[in-house]
């Protein structure tokens, strides 16, 4: 291989197949030995490999290597590094790199803006999001549905729903089609805020836009009923889902189970579990957690443990939520030794204890006035790096 293009082809292939850094550095050494100078594509591949290998500091250092080699970074270089800084929650540094990018006359693209807009939208920083939107418009960069979704979801979370219709209208003016996944994102944000009024407004706008709902839409509608403990109307969206020819998924069934469990309609829970089996939709860990949560809320240890055993027999791996609920329940009803035994079961299932787990054990020891042991658990927590 004698040309930079040939070497870049090798590097791109290595980056795509998640090659190790050593493999890539060997290719770079071979390039140097043959007197082939790396170009921007070479360095971009190196950034990708370091990012894939989670060698984040090395990925960021590639920019300095490029400058030392007098290779000008391009939009892919900067966007890749900005994305990496966002993943590391270094938003200030990401913004600084964005400013450097513009100073070097490298034009940001839609992806660059989307990464930053979503990052600041996720922190509810409306001021910075607005600045980025203005910058995007000034540079004639075309926003896409991801741009608008991030901004609208932020406004819903902040309780400023009035901005949503304005942005939907702007999407229409820009010729951006408003698909079901856009409306589902808005609906999910309303459900998260328990904002029933605006959730139904989103569904109404969806209908006005002639956008057909999908299984997620109906599940979100059912979730609203769960939040209101509205058993009477919860079956309506589920029936609409099946009537429209959409096959309910595990989330739809689990949402309905959650409602019936919370309202103590246990026979209905059994019926839905049976219907799931008949439909070939096996319950998952969230399904079982929903049922266990109900039994735990009424201190029904026997049935909670029965659900836990059924879950294990079905080959469904419990998650951290499952174990934390059960450790608290058996600790209170059966004693600290039972809680400790369940902790060992948790470790055998390769589920690492988290802060909630340790705090639960501390609380159980404090309730028994075992202060020395409680302090010991606290020290275990720090040693495990959970703090």
């Amino acid at each position: 291989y004698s040309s930079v293009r040939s070497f870049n082809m090798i590097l791109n292939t290595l980056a795509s197949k998640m090659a190790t850094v050593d493999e890539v550095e060997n290719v770079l050494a071979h390039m140097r030995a043959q007197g082939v100078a790396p170009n921007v594509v070479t360095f971009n591949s190196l950034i990708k490999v370091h990012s894939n290998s989670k060698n984040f500091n090395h990925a960021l250092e590639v920019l300095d290597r490029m400058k030392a080699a007098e290779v000008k970074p391009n939009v892919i270089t900067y966007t890749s590094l900005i994305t990496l800084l966002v993943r590391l929650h270094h938003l200030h540094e990401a913004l600084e790199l964005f400013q450097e990018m513009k100073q070097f006359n490298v034009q940001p693209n839609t992806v660059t803006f989307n990464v930053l807009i979503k990052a600041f939208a996720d922190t509810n920083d409306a001021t910075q999001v607005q600045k980025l939107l203005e910058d995007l418009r000034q540079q004639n960069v075309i926003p896409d549905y991801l741009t608008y979704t991030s901004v609208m979801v932020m406004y819903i979370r902040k309780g400023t729903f009035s901005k949503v219709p304005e942005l939907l209208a702007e999407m229409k003016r820009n010729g951006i089609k408003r698909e079901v996944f856009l409306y589902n994102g808005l609906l999910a944000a309303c459900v998260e805020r328990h904002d029933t009024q605006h959730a139904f407004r989103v569904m109404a706008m969806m209908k006005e836009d002639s956008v057909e709902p999908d299984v997620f839409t109906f599940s979100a509608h059912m979730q609203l009923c769960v939040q209101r403990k509205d058993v009477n109307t919860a079956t309506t969206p589920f029936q609409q889902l099946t009537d429209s020819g959409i096959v309910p998924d595990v989330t739809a069934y689990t949402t309905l189970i959650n409602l019936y469990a919370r309202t103590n309609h246990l026979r209905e829970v059994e019926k839905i579990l049976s219907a799931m089996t008949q439909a070939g939709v096996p319950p998952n860990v969230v399904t079982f957690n929903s049922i266990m949560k109900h039994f735990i809320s009424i201190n029904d240890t026997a049935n909670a443990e029965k659900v836990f055993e059924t879950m294990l027999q079905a080959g469904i791996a419990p998650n951290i939520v499952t174990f934390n609920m059960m450790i608290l329940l058996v600790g209170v009803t059966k004693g600290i030794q039972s809680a400790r035994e369940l902790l060992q079961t948790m470790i055998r299932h390769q589920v690492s204890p988290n802060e909630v787990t340790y705090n639960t054990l501390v609380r159980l020891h404090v309730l028994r006035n075992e202060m020395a042991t409680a302090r010991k658990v606290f020290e275990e927590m720090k040693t495990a790096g959970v703090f």
Side-chain angles (χ1 to χ4, degrees):
Y1 303 101
S2 56
S3 72
V4 68
R5 187 172 180 179
S6 298
F7 279 110
N8 285 342
M9 181 184 67
I10 298 168
L11 289 169
N12 278 327
T13 303
L14 289 172
S16 299
K17 76 177 190 72
M18 305 290 282
T20 65
V21 175
D22 287 343
E23 288 177 291
V24 172
E25 290 292 351
N26 283 337
V27 175
L28 291 173
H30 196 45
M31 285 181 74
R32 288 191 294 270
Q34 293 200 17
V36 178
N39 63 12
V40 65
V41 177
T42 316
F43 285 111
N44 285 346
S45 295
L46 187 55
I47 290 171
K48 184 175 180 180
V49 170
H50 280 304
S51 297
N52 289 342
S53 304
K54 301 192 185 302
N55 295 311
F56 300 134
N57 289 333
H58 290 300
L60 295 168
E61 288 168 2
V62 173
L63 186 59
D64 293 329
R65 291 173 66 174
M66 291 180 75
K67 292 173 182 176
E70 298 183 349
V71 174
K72 183 181 177 180
N74 63 10
V75 64
I76 296 173
T77 315
Y78 279 110
T79 301
S80 298
L81 292 174
I82 287 169
T83 303
L84 179 56
L85 286 167
V86 166
R87 284 174 61 192
L88 295 171
H89 306 291
H90 296 165
L91 301 193
H92 180 71
E93 291 86 345
L95 208 53
E96 285 182 342
L97 197 57
F98 178 67
Q99 296 304 329
E100 178 188 306
M101 176 183 189
K102 292 190 292 180
Q103 287 168 9
F104 281 97
N105 295 317
V106 179
Q107 173 73 35
N109 61 16
T110 306
V111 177
T112 318
F113 277 105
N114 280 350
V115 169
L116 286 167
I117 286 171
K118 185 176 189 310
F120 285 100
D122 286 347
T123 63
N124 290 330
D125 189 343
T127 302
Q128 188 57 59
V129 167
Q130 194 57 43
K131 286 180 182 177
L132 287 164
L133 280 174
E134 289 169 5
D135 196 353
L136 176 146
R137 289 161 182 150
Q138 287 172 3
Q139 297 198 45
N140 295 317
V141 176
I142 301 172
D144 61 12
Y145 79 93
L146 290 174
T147 320
Y148 286 105
T149 301
S150 296
V151 178
M152 286 188 282
V153 165
M154 178 196 68
Y155 281 126
I156 290 172
R157 282 201 306 263
K158 288 175 67 67
T160 318
F161 190 86
S162 58
K163 297 281 187 180
V164 172
E166 296 173 14
L167 289 164
L168 284 171
E170 184 179 313
M171 285 183 75
K172 189 173 184 178
R173 288 195 300 273
N174 288 338
I176 300 170
K177 194 172 181 181
R178 295 170 293 191
E179 304 276 6
V180 65
F181 36 77
L182 166 70
Y183 282 107
N184 283 345
L186 304 183
L187 194 54
C190 291
V191 171
E192 185 182 336
R193 287 193 80 241
H194 291 219
D195 187 348
T196 304
Q197 177 188 351
H198 289 124
F200 281 108
R201 176 86 185 278
V202 169
M203 286 189 281
M205 290 189 294
M206 190 175 178
K207 188 173 181 180
E208 290 167 9
D209 225 0
S210 301
V211 175
E212 290 295 325
D214 64 9
V215 66
F216 182 93
T217 318
F218 288 112
S219 295
H221 189 173
M222 284 188 283
Q223 186 61 38
L224 292 170
C225 299
V226 172
Q227 290 172 354
R228 295 180 301 172
K229 295 186 178 180
D230 188 354
V231 178
N232 294 326
T233 60
T235 53
T236 303
F238 190 85
Q239 189 61 50
Q240 289 173 337
L241 184 155
T242 53
D243 288 347
S244 63
I246 300 172
V247 178
D249 62 5
V250 66
T251 302
Y253 280 114
T254 299
T255 302
L256 206 54
I257 283 173
N258 190 17
L259 174 63
Y260 284 126
R262 287 178 63 176
T263 53
N264 210 27
H265 289 73
L266 300 185
R267 287 188 178 179
E268 295 300 325
V269 170
E270 291 175 1
K271 286 180 183 178
I272 296 169
L273 282 171
S274 177
M276 287 179 77
T277 303
Q278 291 174 9
V281 181
N284 62 13
V285 63
V286 180
T287 315
F288 283 104
N289 283 352
S290 296
I291 302 169
M292 276 189 285
K293 187 176 180 181
H294 163 70
F295 287 124
I296 289 168
S297 70
I298 59 174
N299 289 324
D300 188 342
T301 310
N303 273 318
E305 289 184 328
K306 184 178 177 182
V307 173
F308 183 67
E309 289 301 323
T310 302
M311 182 179 177
L312 295 178
Q313 289 168 9
I316 297 169
N319 62 14
I320 188 67
V321 175
T322 319
F323 282 112
N324 284 342
M325 287 193 299
M326 291 300 295
I327 286 171
L328 177 59
L329 177 66
V330 301
V332 171
T333 59
K334 292 188 172 183
I336 190 66
Q337 186 56 39
S338 295
R340 281 283 185 181
E341 289 171 2
L342 195 53
L343 177 65
Q344 294 307 310
T345 302
M346 176 180 179
I347 293 169
R348 283 197 300 273
H349 277 81
Q350 298 182 331
V351 178
S352 299
N354 64 6
E355 188 174 352
V356 175
T357 319
Y358 284 109
N359 284 341
T360 300
L361 293 172
V362 169
R363 177 183 169 192
L364 291 170
H365 283 296
V366 169
L367 288 173
R368 291 167 57 88
N369 204 29
E370 297 172 347
M371 304 307 294
T373 310
R375 283 192 291 271
K376 184 179 178 183
V377 173
F378 187 72
E379 290 303 319
E380 288 176 14
M381 177 178 171
K382 289 199 290 184
T383 302
V386 182
F387 192 71

